[in-house]
């Protein structure tokens, strides 16, 4: 059985909700990633921040990324998966919620992220095609 822990990208890092978007962008650059899980003061997942969120939700709105926090852009219920979850559960979670990045948690601690690139490396062509169709499909 292939698990989330087997296919995830290790070394994911939180961005605290109180951190500003300019700091988040710097961290994304330094880590060479396009998304960061957002943590509350108890290091619990409270959202995911993407580079697109920074551009569309802050810069394009004329806001200063040095004054807007990651927590200001955290919306909805964050999704995650346990490191021991089977890949079918990973796919179900990502497809069911039309998400492209999924934090991986073990013993209540962030241990990695699963992205499109991780799926492409570890899944069959048929699995990838089904995932792409469901995640990128427009909702009715």
């Amino acid at each position: 059985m292939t698990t989330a822990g087997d296919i995830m990208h290790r070394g994911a890092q939180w961005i605290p909700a109180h951190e500003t978007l300019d700091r988040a962008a710097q961290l994304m650059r330094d880590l060479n990633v396009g998304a960061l899980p957002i943590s509350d003061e108890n290091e619990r997942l409270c959202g995911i921040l993407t580079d697109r969120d920074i551009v569309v939700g802050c810069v394009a709105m004329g806001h200063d990324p040095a004054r807007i926090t990651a927590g200001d852009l955290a919306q909805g219920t964050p999704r995650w998966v346990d490191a021991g979850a089977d890949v079918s559960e990973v796919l179900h979670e990502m497809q069911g919620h039309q998400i492209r990045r999924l934090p991986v948690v073990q013993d209540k601690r962030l241990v990695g992220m699963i992205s499109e690139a991780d799926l492409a490396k570890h899944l069959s062509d048929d699995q990838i095609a089904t995932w792409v169709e469901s995640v990128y499909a427009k909702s009715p």
Side-chain angles (χ1 to χ4, degrees):
M1 170 179 92
T2 303
T3 66
D6 295 331
I7 67 170
M8 71 181 182
H9 177 81
R10 296 186 185 283
Q13 291 186 24
W14 298 109
I15 185 83
H18 67 270
E19 283 287 353
T20 58
L21 297 183
D22 61 340
R23 177 64 190 121
Q26 292 163 0
L27 187 56
M28 286 180 189
R29 177 200 59 210
D30 294 347
L31 296 173
N32 194 30
V33 297
L36 294 169
I38 304 169
S39 69
D40 66 13
E41 62 279 354
N42 297 315
E43 288 197 354
R44 289 181 301 183
L45 182 66
C46 64
I48 300 221
L49 179 68
T50 67
D51 46 9
R52 187 174 193 283
D53 293 333
I54 295 171
V55 171
V56 174
C58 178
V59 176
M61 301 297 286
H63 300 299
D64 181 357
R67 295 186 181 270
I68 305 296
T69 68
D72 291 335
L73 294 186
Q75 299 176 5
T77 302
R79 310 305 304 181
W80 58 273
V81 69
D82 186 82
D86 185 74
V87 168
S88 62
E89 187 177 332
V90 170
L91 293 174
H92 182 264
E93 189 71 20
M94 294 175 86
Q95 290 168 324
H97 298 281
Q98 291 187 304
I99 54 177
R100 293 175 261 184
R101 297 171 179 105
L102 188 64
V104 180
V105 175
Q106 184 174 26
D107 299 324
K108 298 183 182 181
R109 300 193 57 82
L110 178 70
V111 293
M113 288 279 281
I114 296 174
S115 68
E116 295 166 284
D118 298 314
L119 296 178
K121 290 178 195 172
H122 294 93
L123 301 180
S124 71
D125 290 344
D126 288 341
Q127 287 174 308
I128 293 169
T130 301
W131 181 84
V132 167
E133 185 177 307
S134 62
V135 170
Y136 286 97
K138 298 271 187 216
S139 297

